[in-house]
Amino acid sequence: MSEKNEQTEKKSEAALLKEKLAAKKPSGKLELDKEVIAKADEFCEGYKAFMKTSKVEREAVRTTKKIAEEHGFVEYEQGKSYNPGDKIYVINRGKNIGLAVIGKNGTKNGVKLVIAHIDSPRLDLKPNPLYEANDLALFKTHYYGGIKKYQWTAIPLALHGRIVRLDGEAVDVCVGEDEGDPCFVVSDLLPHLAREQASKPLSKAIEGESLNVLIGSRPFNNDKESEQVKLNILNILFEKYGIIESDFLSAELDLVPAFAPRDIGFDRSLIGAYGHDDKVCAYPGVMAAVNADTPESTFITFLCDKEEIGSDGNTGMQSTFLNSFIEDLAEADGVAFRHVMAKSKCLSADVNAAFDPNYASAFEANNASYLNGGVIITKYTGAGGKYDTSDASAEYMGIIRKMLEDNGVLWQTGELGKVDGGGGGTIAKYVANYNVDVVDLGVPVLSMHAPFEVVAKVDVYMTYLAFAAFLKL
Ligand code: MN
Ligand code: MN
């Protein structure tokens, strides 16, 4: 006590005034003790394990269901009444999962929503993907989400997804993840012959129609029939999955980087992986739900799909699936859905771009987020003068900021790059349309949307702490 006073007395008038009035940068930065860092490292071991089995949305749903069931969650039954403390999950078409912890007041005072997406940019197979050219067998692809096409050439790719055969049987595919598996690749032109390619703008150097994936090169046999390499691939696929060529028409097959999550840096402070955006917010959301004590208001972590292509479709956030589930809970409580939504609060759990010293000019340093700066609140996204975004209110920003401060969560604010540098969006605006208070909150990412994105372990853990605090708010 006395020691502290003496120290205070020594400070100059300017130092004291600065301490009182000026923001610390990044705002809210705390000095993290070793214990917190150790907890973050431990938490991220769980995250890396989650990532290994969750590269595409169906897999993320399966992994989440398993974690939820291990923590006592049971599948929601429509019409059944639930009591405070009950833990339930709902699944939509294998691509969305919601984990709900019923609160002491149920839905009467609104619900708390943490919503993250589990789809990530990738190469999808076209409906007629398989062809042969110059004695090589290839798959035609149509990229999914915002990618820089050149990043997807000359890296090992794995094939994930589901094929529904004509007999109605669904076959799940996952090739390229185990060490003994083969993988696939999109070839790139050698630099020696790339003079013309190298003179093109980055967006034109690799065309969408040249993202064709090499899948084989040996002919079935040497008789005169053409397309023997393709035939050999069809034969292998028939033997392995019982599928014929036309079964590709009823399939969802995605090529994703065949990388496993890895620690990055001598200090192991960072994690490199495919699909941090947005599994890095999904996992902390899942863990906040499964570790929850009975909250005051019902808490729901919801993992959505199709965010990277505009949240359309019946598994995207523009679908009524989550709202219908909340409406069911509201009806059971004898409350109108619209009244529940009006009192609800949401954290749109999504990533933002971390300041990158290699590309400093893309950022505005005072309003960028930084690796190891903690969880980011992104007040608004959009582009061209805040167009196309849900801009969180001063009041809601105030509530969330106070919540983070009160719970000792390391946090920062972040804007997506400098004004007119580009733009992006999240699911926040679709939730806001239902008269819900919502703001984006998540993890800063380096190389976002690249096949190998980078996050800091401390930020992942702080995002978990933020969701855990939100649950109790
Ligand atoms: Mn995202
Ligand atoms: Mn994204």
Side-chain angles (χ1 to χ4, degrees):
M1 197 70 176
S2 60
E3 249 180 53
K4 208 176 183 182
N5 285 343
E6 273 166 29
Q7 268 182 3
T8 313
E9 277 162 24
K10 277 178 206 160
K11 285 185 181 169
S12 70
E13 199 182 337
L16 287 170
L17 198 60
K18 207 172 162 189
E19 198 173 277
K20 187 178 167 189
L21 300 180
K24 293 157 193 83
K25 283 183 185 163
S27 54
K29 183 133 190 164
L30 304 168
E31 278 177 23
L32 293 175
D33 55 44
K34 278 186 179 158
E35 207 177 301
V36 175
I37 292 171
K39 278 187 183 164
D41 289 352
E42 194 192 327
F43 184 80
C44 285
E45 289 306 307
Y47 173 54
K48 285 187 284 179
F50 176 86
M51 289 295 271
K52 273 187 188 167
T53 56
S54 306
K55 281 197 176 169
V56 297
E57 54 276 1
R58 285 179 196 276
E59 295 168 355
V61 166
R62 279 201 290 265
T63 308
T64 301
K65 177 174 177 259
K66 188 166 172 274
I67 294 172
E69 284 175 344
E70 283 164 6
H71 286 80
F73 280 68
V74 294
E75 188 155 20
Y76 169 68
E77 286 174 51
Q78 214 174 344
K80 193 177 163 182
S81 67
Y82 290 93
N83 300 312
D86 283 351
K87 297 181 165 191
I88 51 180
Y89 66 82
V90 276
I91 292 177
N92 178 22
R93 295 173 167 82
K95 297 180 188 179
N96 300 152
I97 185 166
L99 308 183
V101 185
I102 305 298
K104 289 171 194 158
N105 301 311
T107 58
K108 283 177 187 148
N109 299 328
V111 293
K112 302 273 188 49
L113 297 166
V114 167
I115 306 176
H117 66 92
I118 45 176
D119 60 318
S120 302
R122 62 189 187 225
L123 304 180
D124 283 354
L125 294 201
K126 290 192 182 189
N128 287 310
L130 182 56
Y131 73 106
E132 178 174 331
N134 310 100
D135 301 324
L136 297 174
L138 299 115
F139 275 152
K140 293 295 297 179
T141 67
H142 194 140
Y143 64 95
Y144 173 98
I147 62 165
K148 291 165 97 176
K149 299 183 189 84
Y150 73 88
Q151 294 177 336
W152 292 75
T153 64
I155 59 166
L157 298 170
L159 186 69
H160 293 240
R162 172 169 281 197
I163 305 164
V164 177
R165 297 193 307 229
L166 202 55
D167 63 7
E169 191 78 23
V171 186
D172 286 321
V173 174
C174 180
V175 182
E177 295 297 344
D178 290 337
E179 232 168 74
D181 278 1
C183 63
F184 312 97
V185 71
V186 177
S187 61
D188 195 3
L189 192 58
L190 60 166
H192 317 62
L193 298 180
R195 199 171 294 164
E196 189 195 338
Q197 184 192 40
S199 67
K200 289 178 183 173
L202 202 59
S203 61
K204 298 265 186 251
I206 310 274
E207 301 279 356
E209 286 296 350
S210 53
L211 291 174
N212 303 315
V213 183
L214 184 59
I215 57 163
S217 67
R218 272 188 193 157
F220 179 70
N221 61 25
N222 291 323
D223 74 24
K224 286 196 179 119
E225 195 70 34
S226 66
E227 297 202 308
Q228 291 280 314
V229 180
K230 176 180 165 181
L231 185 67
N232 193 36
I233 296 294
L234 281 172
N235 190 43
I236 291 167
L237 292 174
F238 182 74
E239 281 177 357
K240 188 158 185 190
Y241 301 110
I243 61 160
I244 57 172
E245 189 173 7
S246 61
D247 289 333
F248 282 117
L249 293 169
S250 48
E252 289 173 308
L253 292 165
D254 316 322
L255 284 146
V256 298
F259 314 139
R262 300 278 298 268
D263 284 349
I264 290 194
F266 289 115
D267 58 6
R268 296 180 169 263
S269 59
L270 310 163
I271 307 168
Y274 162 71
H276 281 315
D277 177 10
D278 185 33
K279 268 85 89 178
V280 76
C281 297
Y283 179 75
V286 168
M287 294 318 284
V290 299
N291 292 332
D293 295 326
T294 308
E296 293 296 319
S297 291
T298 295
F299 176 86
I300 303 169
T301 289
F302 188 71
L303 306 184
C304 65
D305 174 32
K306 299 281 183 282
E307 193 278 340
E308 295 295 357
I309 56 168
S311 297
D312 293 296
N314 54 18
T315 56
M317 267 317 284
Q318 297 194 69
S319 145
T320 58
F321 179 78
L322 175 61
N323 289 347
S324 300
F325 174 59
I326 296 170
E327 199 165 350
D328 282 352
L329 297 178
E331 269 176 22
D333 290 340
V335 205
F337 169 69
R338 63 184 185 281
H339 296 148
V340 170
M341 294 309 257
K343 291 178 191 162
S344 291
K345 292 183 176 65
C346 177
L347 294 177
S348 162
D350 210 341
V351 299
N352 199 336
F355 188 91
D356 186 339
N358 282 338
Y359 301 96
S361 67
F363 298 87
E364 191 265 285
N366 284 339
N367 286 284
S369 62
Y370 294 81
L371 290 179
N372 291 306
V375 66
I376 319 166
I377 308 180
T378 305
K379 189 175 181 293
Y380 50 85
T381 56
K386 291 191 173 184
Y387 196 84
D388 224 12
T389 184
S390 156
D391 192 349
S393 68
E395 290 85 351
Y396 193 51
M397 286 293 286
I399 289 169
I400 298 303
R401 179 182 155 200
K402 185 172 185 306
M403 173 195 87
L404 297 170
E405 290 285 342
D406 288 350
N407 288 278
V409 180
L410 180 66
W411 68 280
Q412 55 187 328
T413 56
E415 203 174 6
L416 181 60
K418 64 181 184 187
V419 176
D420 291 340
T426 65
I427 58 95
K429 61 179 183 174
Y430 305 115
V431 180
N433 287 345
Y434 288 90
N435 196 21
V436 175
D437 272 321
V438 56
V439 70
D440 288 302
L441 182 143
V443 177
V445 178
L446 268 191
S447 308
M448 193 197 293
H449 283 209
F452 199 61
E453 305 172 309
V454 178
V455 297
K457 290 179 179 177
V458 161
D459 300 331
V460 182
Y461 183 57
M462 289 299 153
T463 302
Y464 166 71
L465 293 185
F467 297 155
F470 183 62
L471 185 119
K472 291 183 198 138
L473 184 69

